[in-house]
Amino acid sequence: MNKQQIIDNTISFVKETLKNAEGGHDWFHIERVYKNTLLIAKSEEVDEFVVSLGALLHDIADYKFHDGDETIGPRVATEFLQSQQIDTNVVEHIVQIINNISFKGGKVARTFSSKELDVVQDADRLDAIGAIGIARTFNYGGFKNRAIYNPDISPELNMTKEEYKNSTAPTINHFYEKLLRLKDKMNTETGKQLAQQRHEFMELYLEQFYKEWNGKC
């Protein structure tokens, strides 16, 4: 099993599969998560091959773009990995990462644990916060034709998984419902350190946003 060749094949597969994806969940999102994964992995004792493939395939078919179906991503990933003649236990580990990586409202407990999942989940969450996270959030809000902000609609902090998946709330609400909560949900020390700076940037952004919204600057 030539691991580098499999990684290269995976990159080609993901690029082709996501060539028309929404801008916050396209190849460049995957690439950033992949880079974050390799960065965090330097400080963790993990299988670099597993985390690499987990990062590259984690959003191969995001449920948000498939009518909420959470089975498509793991199925597509499994079929691809099997085509690469990868050991069954490695395939199962990667698919478990894909199954357990999402936030889903923050109330769904993981059904699987590994250091590899910790690393890839942190890498994915880093791309959801900070300057890139802000850009992705508003891009998705525009994609779904959501209001930017409505002061009459308060954030919902205790949504069930289904309520979170079906929410149509203004984009600013998503900062409180997810983005600002991620800093305290990081798994690794490197992830926590990187998340702190991005978290502080989002707080500054929101402070400026409300000043401008209310005509105070």
Side-chain angles (χ1 to χ4, degrees):
M1 181 172 61
N2 186 325
K3 293 183 178 181
Q4 187 55 55
Q5 185 61 58
I6 291 172
I7 290 172
D8 292 342
N9 293 347
T10 306
I11 289 172
S12 297
F13 172 70
V14 174
K15 283 183 175 180
E16 177 62 24
T17 302
L18 299 182
K19 63 184 179 182
N20 296 316
E22 179 266 334
H25 298 80
D26 58 3
W27 159 249
F28 295 110
H29 162 62
I30 302 299
E31 185 178 41
R32 291 190 302 270
V33 173
Y34 178 47
K35 290 177 179 178
N36 286 340
T37 293
L38 295 180
L39 175 63
I40 297 171
K42 291 179 181 178
S43 302
E44 304 292 330
E45 293 184 7
V46 293
D47 185 324
E48 189 171 309
F49 183 61
V50 169
V51 297
S52 294
L53 294 181
L56 290 168
L57 292 167
H58 82 278
D59 262 351
I60 195 62
D62 191 303
Y63 71 82
K64 291 189 287 295
F65 307 101
H66 292 85
D67 298 320
D69 188 345
E70 298 177 31
T71 68
I72 294 179
R75 185 168 69 248
V76 171
T78 298
E79 291 172 356
F80 171 77
L81 292 168
Q82 289 175 341
S83 77
Q84 300 299 301
Q85 307 299 311
I86 297 173
D87 292 344
T88 300
N89 62 323
V90 176
V91 173
E92 291 176 351
H93 193 169
I94 294 164
V95 172
Q96 287 285 11
I97 289 173
I98 297 168
N99 273 325
N100 286 275
I101 194 171
S102 292
F103 179 73
K104 298 175 185 174
K107 285 194 165 187
V108 179
R110 299 193 322 192
T111 59
F112 172 82
S113 294
S114 74
K115 291 296 294 182
E116 286 77 11
L117 170 58
D118 289 346
V119 168
V120 180
Q121 188 173 62
D122 278 7
D124 187 39
R125 287 176 170 175
L126 283 173
D127 206 55
I129 59 179
I132 292 290
I134 292 171
R136 291 181 66 215
T137 299
F138 283 107
N139 191 82
Y140 184 73
F143 177 80
K144 300 294 284 187
N145 197 32
R146 293 179 181 173
I148 292 175
Y149 175 53
N150 184 337
D152 295 328
I153 302 177
S154 300
E156 293 286 345
L157 303 182
N158 293 298
M159 287 186 285
T160 64
K161 174 184 172 182
E162 289 305 313
E163 288 171 337
Y164 179 80
K165 287 174 67 174
N166 296 321
S167 175
T168 59
T171 298
I172 283 293
N173 290 27
H174 193 59
F175 283 78
Y176 301 94
E177 293 166 353
K178 178 182 178 180
L179 309 191
L180 293 171
R181 301 166 66 184
L182 292 180
K183 172 179 68 71
D184 295 328
K185 292 182 175 292
M186 304 301 282
N187 303 299
T188 67
E189 287 305 313
T190 301
K192 292 174 183 177
Q193 292 170 13
L194 295 171
Q196 182 63 41
Q197 181 183 15
R198 298 188 186 206
H199 181 89
E200 291 171 1
F201 182 86
M202 291 191 299
E203 290 182 321
L204 288 173
Y205 171 81
L206 288 170
E207 181 180 341
Q208 180 71 14
F209 178 93
Y210 292 124
K211 285 180 181 179
E212 294 180 15
W213 185 274
N214 293 307
K216 294 183 178 180
C217 68

